[in-house]
Amino acid sequence: EALLARLPMEAALAAIAARAAADPFAAGWPLAAAKLHSLAGQPAAALAELQTAELLAPDQPEILGLLGGALAEAGRRQEAEPMLRAAIAARPSDAELRNRLATLYWRDGKSARMLAVLEEAIAEFGPQPTLMMNRALALNAVGRQEEALASADAAVPEGGVAALVNRIAVLPYHPRQGHAAALLEAGRAIAGKLGPPAPRPARDLDPGRRLRIGLLSGGFGRHPVGWLTIGGLEALPAEEFALYGYALKPREDMLTARFRACCAGWREVPHAGDAEIAAAIAADAIDILIDLGGYGESGRIFVLNHRPAPVQVKWVGAQFSTTGLPCIDWMLTDRWETPEGFEHLYSERLLRLPDGYVCYTPPPYAPPVAPLPAAGGRGVTFGCFNNLAKVTPSVLGCWARILQALPEARLELRTHVLGDAAAREALFARMAAAGLPLERVRVEGGVPHRELLAAYGGIDIALDPFPYTGGLTACEALWMGVPVLTLVGDSFAGRHAFSHLSNVGLADWAAFSEATYVAQAVARARDLPSLAALRVGLRERMAASPLADAPRFGRSLAGALRRAWVEHCATARA
């Protein structure tokens, strides 16, 4: 750090290399080089230096902890865990090392293990804000929404903006408090701590000129952002719009290649600060910046508070509610997500598209639709492949009433968290308490995407959770021929599936009370001929609908973006 303070990065690294050559058995030099590489956004180089440092000083807790964290960042989590546990054993009084181990389990989908580490750390170190925030995430991930919000609330007094972001991340899952008004209040609390946005930059106020559209996301790939946006973005008229991608997370897959191909400019900025990213966006003279990360784990929504573009829009990517931030001008939406009269629940203006607010791109490897499982005479199988965080006590209560009314019916749950034995046992206990017949419930952990899609071949009806409903999950079920029964709420997250169902002409699969949700599930399950007929034509129906019509969506998106720009030009001139 002292070298970096007085020397440029390359010179500082050269000075360290020279000292390491003169003192080759001192672990401090590769450790120093690793820290510089990390500051420079060079994780692979930092990891290599940390491995050298660990060889020279294998029992040094700081090196073990940093190496464990670097291995976890590189996706080498099996190697990272013993390093972090060794560091904790050598330095048991270091709470940050417990956090690193907890984060490792979070990234590995082992939320129950993450929770155990955090509970032990809180017992030893007290309710430190970072521990309580991570505990909130772990509790939420295993479906304990009440406790998750309480843990998030406990971190707020001393946790600053980060604690408020943590709170709004778990709030939409809460069975009673996850409503639109509470989410607006939570967003405004963040805005109050964040401070006012920077002034709008000046741009050429020609309302009809070709516009530069910036896309800020960590989901440019096989991710909900990718599946729900790429088709529409590719369909934007190139003579009117030039796309510029700002990738917050390195990805290399079939969808990443498509994003790169449709962008006139592309920047990888995973390690840059908010101000640095904003400066890059401003340097590209972006006219409209679209945030595709929100308050999600890979989002960098505070970049927008630096105001790198004169018009700023929120779209897919942790789009569960209003952001509450005055730096975001518009929320891209539709008439089902935010019908007339919902304006007061959003700090943004509502930029409604004529159809749905997303465009689904089905995976080319999706298997064919299987015949209706219940046609074999074994009873209806209900399924829910959503995150366990969405499965609230109210959801379990409704599912119990459905299975009680249908003695031959079964329920299948699939999500990555259920790959952990402790999470499965905890869920079984919750289901038993809710009255679910466990002998008719099957739970499975995460599988590769193609296998997950194929698993819909064993499902007759998808039961959408609430109040945070399925987005991409609803689209995937429909594509695989499985109708989705949803309960509609008032938040953006509470209306995802309703929007998608309405867009394919299945709005009658939406319920507006728990009693109707249960009654509809029972009635639909008893009408096998209708289920079979719907299943046979559902993929073709969806493919022909606005939900999967990329050219149509591209025209709608182009019109919405042009409207936002024209209004900005008029306002700026005035």
Side-chain angles (χ1 to χ4, degrees):
E1 291 176 0
L3 280 170
L4 186 60
R6 66 176 190 269
L7 293 174
M9 181 68 70
E10 290 186 7
L13 286 169
I16 288 172
R19 296 185 188 190
D23 190 8
F25 298 106
W29 298 121
L31 178 61
K35 290 183 177 180
L36 287 182
H37 282 302
S38 181
L39 287 171
Q42 300 165 345
L47 175 57
E49 293 287 1
L50 285 170
Q51 289 173 316
T52 300
E54 193 269 336
L55 287 172
L56 295 171
D59 300 320
Q60 218 286 331
E62 181 185 6
I63 294 172
L64 291 170
L66 290 172
L67 178 56
L71 287 167
E73 286 284 344
R76 296 163 61 177
R77 291 186 281 271
Q78 287 187 332
E79 298 171 69
E81 182 179 358
M83 290 287 177
L84 289 171
R85 288 205 171 275
I88 290 168
R91 190 180 286 172
S93 61
D94 191 335
E96 175 55 28
L97 289 174
R98 310 294 181 92
N99 261 323
R100 290 183 196 171
L101 181 60
T103 302
L104 169 71
Y105 287 137
W106 172 257
R107 290 175 176 158
D108 214 20
K110 298 174 180 175
S111 301
R113 295 191 193 184
M114 174 188 183
L115 184 58
V117 169
L118 292 167
E119 297 286 17
E120 182 181 286
I122 290 166
E124 291 186 36
F125 304 110
Q128 296 182 8
T130 303
L131 294 173
M132 298 303 287
M133 286 187 276
N134 283 337
R135 179 175 179 266
L137 296 176
L139 287 165
N140 204 52
V142 297
R144 293 162 62 181
Q145 300 88 1
E146 297 267 6
E147 296 166 87
L149 184 58
S151 188
D153 284 339
V156 167
E158 298 179 11
V161 172
L164 292 172
V165 171
N166 177 258
R167 185 177 188 277
I168 201 172
V170 301
L171 181 59
Y173 299 90
H174 195 277
R176 293 182 311 282
Q177 297 185 50
H179 54 79
L183 288 160
L184 173 61
E185 183 182 354
R188 284 178 169 163
I190 294 169
K193 288 283 188 182
L194 194 62
R200 293 177 193 268
R203 296 285 186 271
D204 176 4
L205 296 177
D206 176 358
R209 69 175 173 83
R210 189 176 190 234
L211 299 177
R212 293 183 168 218
I213 309 298
L215 307 170
L216 178 67
S217 181
F220 293 133
R222 288 174 55 178
H223 179 277
V225 168
W227 298 117
L228 297 175
T229 68
I230 185 61
L233 291 170
E234 288 174 331
L236 277 175
E239 68 277 9
E240 292 188 48
F241 303 96
L243 296 176
Y244 290 76
Y246 302 90
L248 298 169
K249 184 175 181 179
R251 293 179 183 272
E252 292 297 337
D253 59 47
M254 53 182 283
L255 287 189
T256 307
R258 290 173 64 176
F259 276 107
R260 285 178 180 271
C262 72
C263 284
W266 186 267
R267 294 179 187 259
E268 301 272 353
V269 290
H271 304 288
D274 290 350
E276 186 180 352
I277 296 171
I281 295 168
D284 290 334
I286 297 301
D287 300 303
I288 300 177
L289 176 61
I290 301 176
D291 173 77
L292 296 162
Y295 293 118
E297 186 179 358
S298 61
R300 297 288 291 277
I301 198 168
F302 294 154
V303 167
L304 280 71
N305 211 49
H306 294 269
R307 258 297 173 190
V311 178
Q312 302 191 149
V313 179
K314 179 73 194 87
W315 192 24
V316 190
Q319 191 178 11
F320 50 74
S321 73
T322 180
T323 64
L325 302 181
C327 61
I328 300 182
D329 307 301
W330 298 91
M331 173 77 75
L332 203 61
T333 180
D334 62 49
R335 64 186 182 275
W336 300 294
E337 283 283 0
T338 54
E340 294 292 334
F342 273 46
E343 287 78 5
H344 68 286
L345 298 171
Y346 290 80
S347 61
E348 308 86 359
R349 295 179 67 190
L350 300 178
L351 191 57
R352 293 188 182 93
L353 296 176
D355 302 307
Y357 77 105
V358 297
C359 179
Y360 176 59
T361 297
Y365 48 78
V369 174
L372 187 75
R378 63 189 184 96
V380 164
T381 301
F382 295 99
C384 179
F385 294 179
N386 287 271
N387 292 332
L388 200 58
K390 298 182 178 183
V391 180
T392 64
S394 299
V395 169
L396 292 176
C398 285
W399 291 352
R401 289 155 61 192
I402 292 167
L403 293 191
Q404 286 161 10
L406 299 165
E408 301 300 318
R410 289 176 299 280
L411 174 65
E412 181 174 319
L413 307 183
R414 284 179 178 267
T415 185
H416 64 286
V417 170
L418 291 174
D420 186 29
R424 290 196 301 273
E425 291 304 315
L427 176 61
F428 286 140
R430 290 173 58 217
M431 289 192 296
L436 276 155
L438 299 186
E439 70 279 5
R440 289 192 278 145
V441 178
R442 178 185 178 189
V443 301
E444 296 287 346
V447 292
H449 195 205
R450 190 189 187 287
E451 292 180 37
L452 180 71
L453 296 173
Y456 279 109
I459 305 299
D460 296 286
I461 297 172
L463 292 176
D464 201 33
F466 54 87
Y468 200 131
T469 64
L472 177 62
T473 311
C475 293
E476 291 180 342
L478 294 170
W479 188 253
M480 295 309 302
V482 180
V484 180
L485 178 63
T486 190
L487 177 57
V488 184
D490 72 343
S491 72
F492 208 98
R495 304 174 73 88
H496 285 329
F498 179 46
S499 171
H500 305 331
L501 287 166
S502 300
N503 223 0
V504 298
L506 293 177
D508 59 332
W509 279 77
F512 291 84
S513 71
E514 290 187 17
T516 307
Y517 179 90
V518 172
Q520 274 220 46
V522 173
R524 304 276 188 186
R526 288 173 174 164
D527 187 357
L528 294 188
S530 294
L531 278 179
L534 179 59
R535 189 182 188 98
V536 166
L538 188 50
R539 178 172 291 187
E540 290 71 22
R541 179 177 188 162
M542 185 175 175
S545 77
L547 182 56
D549 188 339
R552 176 171 174 159
F553 186 89
R555 292 191 295 271
S556 298
L557 180 59
L561 295 176
R562 183 62 62 182
R563 175 196 162 191
W565 180 252
V566 168
E567 291 202 18
H568 164 69
C569 292
T571 302
R573 285 199 184 96

